[in-house]
Amino acid sequence: MKKLGFGFMRLPLLDENDVLSVDVDQLCRMVDTFIERGFTYFDTAYVYHKQQSEVFLKKVLSERYPRDRFQLATKLPMPMVNSVEDNEKLFNEELEKCGVEYFDYYLLHAMNAERFEKAKKYNSWEFLKKMKAEGKIRHIGFSFHDDVKLLEEMLTLWPETEFVQLQINYIDWENPSIQAKECYDLCTKLGKPVIVMEPIKGGSLVNIPEDAEKLFRDYAPDASTASWAVRYAASLDNVMMVLSGMSNYSQLDDNTAYMENFVPLNEEEKAIVDKVVDIINSSIAVPCTACGYCVDGCPMGIPIPKYFALYNAELQALNKGFSTQQTYYTNMTVTLPKASRCIGCGACEASCPQHIGIIDGLKLVAERFEK
Ligand code: SF4
Ligand code: SF4
């Protein structure tokens, strides 16, 4: 398999404020080009796009291509598993939504300490093994957002794990909260191949500070900023797949062009990335990936990732002497609750895989934009 997977988490939209308004025509063209260029791996999940990503995948992929032309990965939504029976119910629903008879890769989704307890309580891992024995899953694993100690505990209890999906990108590699390097090293030591998610960190490694971008451009004028991030992750020996959530045709065109005949980063390129990391670390205020996991549980309905994206852009824009973020914030808060409406209940922080101090972050947003 080529090392680039098509993530169905951020699909092209007709209306950017409506995640259900997927641009199906554009998505079909993207899928066609992806397959024409020899790529085969698709990744979705029960919860993406308000639980409709799998349905869109059926429409653009499994109804249009023979099953042996692609590999499909999806995930068991652990927050929705509240009984032993839920494993099977949700799994069968996913087969139906995706329009397939089996999954090539099946994962317990976004595992952390709480979800690990839940998976043990409701026998979710035993269920995956059973589905594999029945031929409804080819490979079993999990995606993971916690520390290396827990990862070791899980891999010890579940030695049948065939792969682990980790958040790896050049900015998180040595981040003490994410522990990307430690988790990758453990998987390598135990012989578990790694699938990379968020190689571009939710798009934030595309809009990097100008002086960092210049370092990339000076070395390779035609290479996109995204290509450096994807190639960085793909250059790790134990990485079997890098997922990219491509949101329009031009992103797909770019990604598939440089990944069709993938060349790992050389030593000079790695040194440039190190310098870029230093520059970015000194400029990103809130390391939000826009995954949206925090939003559903917020009793005030605060669009947390949107505000953090504005805040980060504002701080970077200030360095460049150009800012339109205040206007966006003012416009957004006509219909959406302001950051200052946060009551500090903490529900969001418990679900944030980046371990962001959201409550304090929202205070900064309010100070910046609500003066
Ligand atoms: S702490 Fe604030 S932002 Fe987080 S869930 Fe509670 S009200 Fe929402
Ligand atoms: S604050 Fe955390 S949970 Fe919310 S969108 Fe950002 S990274 Fe995801």
Side-chain angles (χ1 to χ4, degrees):
M1 281 193 293
K2 290 187 190 292
K3 263 189 174 182
L4 177 70
F6 192 155
F8 267 48
M9 185 185 193
R10 300 181 183 91
L11 298 172
L13 299 176
L14 295 166
D15 172 357
E16 65 168 30
N17 293 314
D18 177 6
V19 293
L20 295 179
S21 71
V22 172
D23 183 345
V24 173
D25 290 343
Q26 184 175 184
L27 186 56
C28 283
R29 276 203 304 132
M30 291 164 72
V31 167
D32 293 346
T33 300
F34 191 73
I35 290 179
E36 271 162 27
R37 294 183 181 174
F39 298 89
T40 55
Y41 191 97
F42 291 83
D43 172 84
T44 182
Y46 190 100
V47 296
Y48 295 167
H49 280 261
K50 287 197 173 162
Q51 305 184 0
Q52 292 305 298
S53 171
E54 293 173 320
V55 175
F56 283 112
L57 181 133
K58 176 180 176 184
K59 199 177 282 189
V60 301
L61 180 67
S62 46
E63 282 182 349
R64 298 172 64 239
Y65 284 91
R67 186 64 184 87
D68 60 1
R69 286 289 302 277
F70 59 90
Q71 278 88 39
L72 177 56
T74 193
K75 312 173 188 90
L76 189 67
M78 292 311 298
M80 298 173 71
V81 177
N82 294 307
S83 69
V84 171
E85 293 73 32
D86 281 346
N87 295 310
E88 186 164 15
K89 182 172 148 282
L90 290 160
F91 180 81
N92 286 337
E93 197 184 323
E94 290 186 288
L95 285 175
E96 174 80 26
K97 281 165 85 182
C98 290
V100 296
E101 309 267 301
Y102 68 92
F103 296 118
D104 300 275
Y105 295 82
Y106 195 77
L107 300 83
L108 301 185
H109 196 175
M111 295 305 285
N112 56 22
E114 181 205 339
R115 293 179 184 190
F116 183 41
E117 290 309 312
K118 220 172 171 191
K120 286 191 281 186
K121 183 173 177 190
Y122 299 126
N123 292 337
S124 300
W125 189 253
E126 300 309 314
F127 173 75
L128 263 58
K129 287 199 287 182
K130 181 165 170 273
M131 290 302 98
K132 187 181 171 192
E134 289 179 15
K136 292 180 182 169
I137 299 175
R138 298 273 156 92
H139 304 285
I140 56 176
F142 53 86
S143 59
F144 186 76
H145 288 285
D146 213 309
D147 63 21
V148 70
K149 193 165 159 282
L150 180 72
L151 180 59
E152 185 155 27
E153 197 182 331
M154 289 174 67
L155 291 174
T156 303
L157 186 69
W158 298 339
E160 311 84 2
T161 303
E162 292 173 273
F163 64 94
V164 180
Q165 188 161 305
L166 295 174
Q167 174 172 313
I168 292 180
N169 53 63
Y170 61 69
I171 205 74
D172 288 331
W173 186 242
E174 305 209 9
N175 181 321
S177 308
I178 311 292
Q179 298 193 339
K181 182 175 185 307
E182 288 91 334
C183 291
Y184 171 84
D185 286 345
L186 177 68
C187 289
T188 305
K189 189 176 99 183
L190 298 177
K192 310 293 180 190
V194 168
I195 295 177
V196 171
M197 56 185 158
E198 303 290 7
I200 312 175
K201 202 164 168 80
S204 61
L205 297 183
V206 172
N207 299 311
I208 59 176
E210 205 165 294
D211 38 353
E213 203 178 327
K214 185 171 180 311
L215 288 176
F216 285 155
R217 234 185 7 250
D218 286 350
Y219 181 84
D222 297 329
S224 64
T225 312
S227 72
W228 284 83
V230 172
R231 286 180 59 228
Y232 174 88
S235 297
L236 295 162
D237 289 339
N238 190 34
V239 164
M240 59 171 275
M241 186 61 58
V242 178
L243 305 177
S244 177
M246 295 171 265
S247 301
N248 58 49
Y249 187 86
S250 71
Q251 287 175 5
L252 179 123
D253 191 31
D254 180 44
N255 276 347
T256 51
Y258 62 80
M259 287 302 287
E260 196 168 359
N261 297 301
F262 167 64
V263 179
L265 294 182
N266 61 35
E267 291 309 311
E268 195 178 349
E269 289 173 319
K270 285 180 191 167
I272 291 172
V273 170
D274 287 344
K275 286 186 193 154
V276 165
V277 168
D278 290 341
I279 295 171
I280 295 176
N281 275 339
S282 62
S283 72
I284 283 187
V286 186
C288 171
T289 64
C291 68
Y293 293 157
C294 56
V295 176
D296 286 348
C298 175
M300 306 306 289
I302 297 171
I304 299 162
K306 286 187 178 171
Y307 289 168
F308 284 161
L310 277 186
Y311 185 72
N312 284 335
E314 173 76 352
L315 292 202
Q316 291 197 355
L318 286 178
N319 296 334
K320 296 178 191 174
F322 171 75
S323 169
T324 55
Q325 279 68 233
Q326 179 67 61
T327 310
Y328 280 100
Y329 187 81
T330 306
N331 290 346
M332 282 170 80
T333 49
V334 171
T335 52
L336 295 169
K338 291 180 176 176
S340 57
R341 296 287 306 282
C342 171
I343 56 172
C345 68
C348 53
E349 294 190 354
S351 61
C352 176
Q354 311 303 327
H355 312 290
I356 292 171
I358 296 175
I359 299 170
D360 286 344
L362 288 175
K363 284 183 188 151
L364 293 172
V365 172
E367 274 166 30
R368 169 65 62 183
F369 294 122
E370 297 178 25
K371 275 183 287 186

